[in-house]
Amino acid sequence: MESLEKRMANLEYYQRLLVQMADAEKYPFYLSVMKTGLSAEEIEDIHRICAELEQMLAEQKEQGLLDYMSLLTLFAGQLNHKLPVDDTILALHKQGMYVPLMTEFKKIIRK
């Protein structure tokens, strides 16, 4: 079982996220991670993954590449197993996070 200190740290992190949430419709990603019970470290991991992939997207665009399926594959492979890939992409995009990356991912998953 998770330690009491770890559970408290998670609750404090969720509380900070809740304060930022004026409307659940505007913050679907935060709502999703809270519902699945991800830890602060797991959430930060998602941010790290997205930031790295967004950098790779920029580099690939500079090189003139147009197919970003490899980035989506990396995202899906690294995303926490508790989160559905498609829903996470849509939630991040709707929340305005990593928009260039999520826009490209949305194009791929809608095909």
Side-chain angles (χ1 to χ4, degrees):
M1 186 165 159
E2 218 175 336
S3 74
L4 183 58
E5 293 152 350
K6 181 77 169 167
R7 290 173 61 199
M8 284 296 292
N10 283 343
L11 287 173
E12 290 170 353
Y13 184 74
Y14 292 159
Q15 182 181 17
R16 288 193 304 272
L17 291 176
L18 281 169
V19 169
Q20 296 176 30
M21 293 173 55
D23 178 356
E25 281 298 307
K26 292 173 75 174
Y27 299 97
F29 175 70
Y30 289 159
L31 186 60
S32 177
V33 297
M34 284 187 276
K35 282 183 177 180
T36 56
L38 295 184
S39 69
E41 292 84 12
E42 290 170 320
I43 296 166
E44 292 305 317
D45 243 7
I46 295 167
H47 288 298
R48 179 192 53 75
I49 291 163
C50 289
E52 288 173 4
L53 293 174
E54 200 165 59
Q55 178 62 40
M56 291 171 70
L57 174 68
E59 291 169 5
Q60 288 186 10
K61 282 188 172 188
E62 267 183 31
Q63 297 170 1
L65 299 176
L66 300 173
D67 182 5
Y68 308 112
M69 179 60 89
S70 62
L71 296 180
L72 177 57
T73 302
L74 286 171
F75 178 76
Q78 294 179 55
L79 186 64
N80 188 290
H81 69 278
K82 297 175 190 173
L83 296 173
V85 175
D86 290 6
D87 292 347
T88 303
I89 290 168
L90 297 174
L92 285 165
H93 188 270
K94 187 172 185 178
Q95 194 165 318
M97 302 172 82
Y98 311 103
V99 174
L101 182 67
M102 296 305 136
T103 299
E104 295 300 335
F105 287 172
K106 278 179 62 175
K107 291 176 188 174
I108 296 169
I109 64 174
R110 288 192 174 162
K111 287 182 180 178

